Amino acid sequence: EVLRYYSPITREKNYGAMDLFIKLDSKGVMGTYFKNMKVGDLLEIRGPMGGYEFDVLGKGPKKIGMLAGGVGISPMVQLVREVLHAGAETDLLLIWGGEYETDFVYKDIIEKNMLTHPNLHVVYTVNHPSEEWKGETGYIDVEMIQKHMFPPGDDVMIIICGPYQMCQAMKALLPTVGYTTDMFWSFM
C-alpha cells in the first residue's frame, strides 16, 4: 500500500468530478502506477485531509503569497481559481520554481489569468535556465523573497507547497526575514 497526498486543481464547487495534476515519471511509485492505469482500474481516495482555509470574500488575508516548487503548483492553481472566480480584491503573488523551463505546465493558464486579473503576479525561477531565459534563476532564497514577495504584515499569508526539502527550507527562511509563523502555512 502506497499513500500520497495530492491537491485537486478543480474549483471547490465543481461537484461530481475532480482533476489532479500528477507528474507521470518512471522514478516515482505513484507516477508509475498512474501512468500504467487502464480504464476500469481502481484507486482508493481519501479526503479532504484538512489544511489552510480562509473566506475568499470575508475576513481572509488581503495579500496571499505563494511559494511553489514543481508540482507544488497544484494547490496554488486551485487557490488562484477560487480567488479570481469570486472576484475578490485579494492580491496574489506566486514565486514558482522549477528545475527547467518546461516544468511550468500551467504557465499559459496562469499568464492568461494575469491578463484579465491585475491582482495576480507571478515570478518564475529555474535551476537550469536556457540561454534565452529572462526570469530568475536558482532556488527560491532570501534575496528572491525580499525582492518579490509581499513584506510581512497582518494582512499577508504565505502558502508553501513543493518538494519536502523546499517546504522545510522555506519554513526556516521566512522567520529570518520577518514573517511570523502565523503569516505562513506549508503543505509539508
Side-chain angles (χ1 to χ4, degrees):
E1 182 174 303
V2 176
L3 175 67
R4 295 290 186 272
Y5 296 96
Y6 296 96
S7 296
I9 57 171
T10 317
R11 288 200 44 250
E12 185 178 274
K13 304 275 190 247
N14 190 15
Y15 301 113
M18 177 178 67
D19 294 328
L20 297 173
F21 171 57
I22 300 167
K23 187 174 183 179
L24 301 179
D25 62 21
S26 58
K27 298 175 192 168
V29 174
M30 287 305 293
T32 301
Y33 181 79
F34 279 113
K35 189 175 184 178
N36 294 323
M37 283 185 81
K38 299 189 180 21
V39 174
D41 287 351
L42 298 177
L43 183 68
E44 181 179 342
I45 297 176
R46 298 180 213 157
M49 304 307 284
Y52 179 73
E53 293 182 27
F54 72 97
D55 181 3
V56 173
L57 294 173
K59 298 178 181 169
K62 298 299 176 204
K63 297 176 183 174
I64 299 176
M66 297 165 279
L67 302 174
V71 295
I73 191 64
S74 297
M76 309 310 181
V77 168
Q78 186 185 41
L79 176 78
V80 167
R81 284 180 172 172
E82 290 300 320
V83 170
L84 297 182
H85 180 78
E89 294 181 12
T90 307
D91 288 324
L92 301 168
L93 195 154
L94 167 64
I95 300 177
W96 185 7
E99 289 297 316
Y100 300 93
E101 296 158 54
T102 56
D103 290 345
F104 302 119
V105 293
Y106 284 107
K107 185 176 182 184
D108 293 342
I109 294 168
I110 288 174
E111 289 187 352
K112 183 179 176 185
N113 282 320
M114 287 172 56
L115 295 174
T116 55
H117 296 87
N119 57 329
L120 173 61
H121 306 278
V122 181
V123 174
Y124 302 97
T125 182
V126 295
N127 293 329
H128 306 286
S130 68
E131 289 183 19
E132 297 82 30
W133 181 251
K134 298 197 183 343
E136 294 283 350
T137 58
Y139 292 117
I140 300 170
D141 60 13
V142 170
E143 290 79 20
M144 205 176 295
I145 289 173
Q146 290 176 323
K147 180 178 176 183
H148 298 290
M149 188 49 69
F150 301 120
D154 293 338
D155 61 344
V156 173
M157 176 56 72
I158 309 296
I159 309 294
I160 307 162
C161 191
Y164 178 80
Q165 296 86 346
M166 179 217 150
C167 292
Q168 299 310 304
M170 294 300 103
K171 291 191 299 187
L173 181 147
L174 288 172
T176 69
V177 291
Y179 297 91
T180 58
T181 56
D182 61 333
M183 291 179 199
F184 62 88
W185 189 86
S186 178
F187 279 83
M188 288 191 225

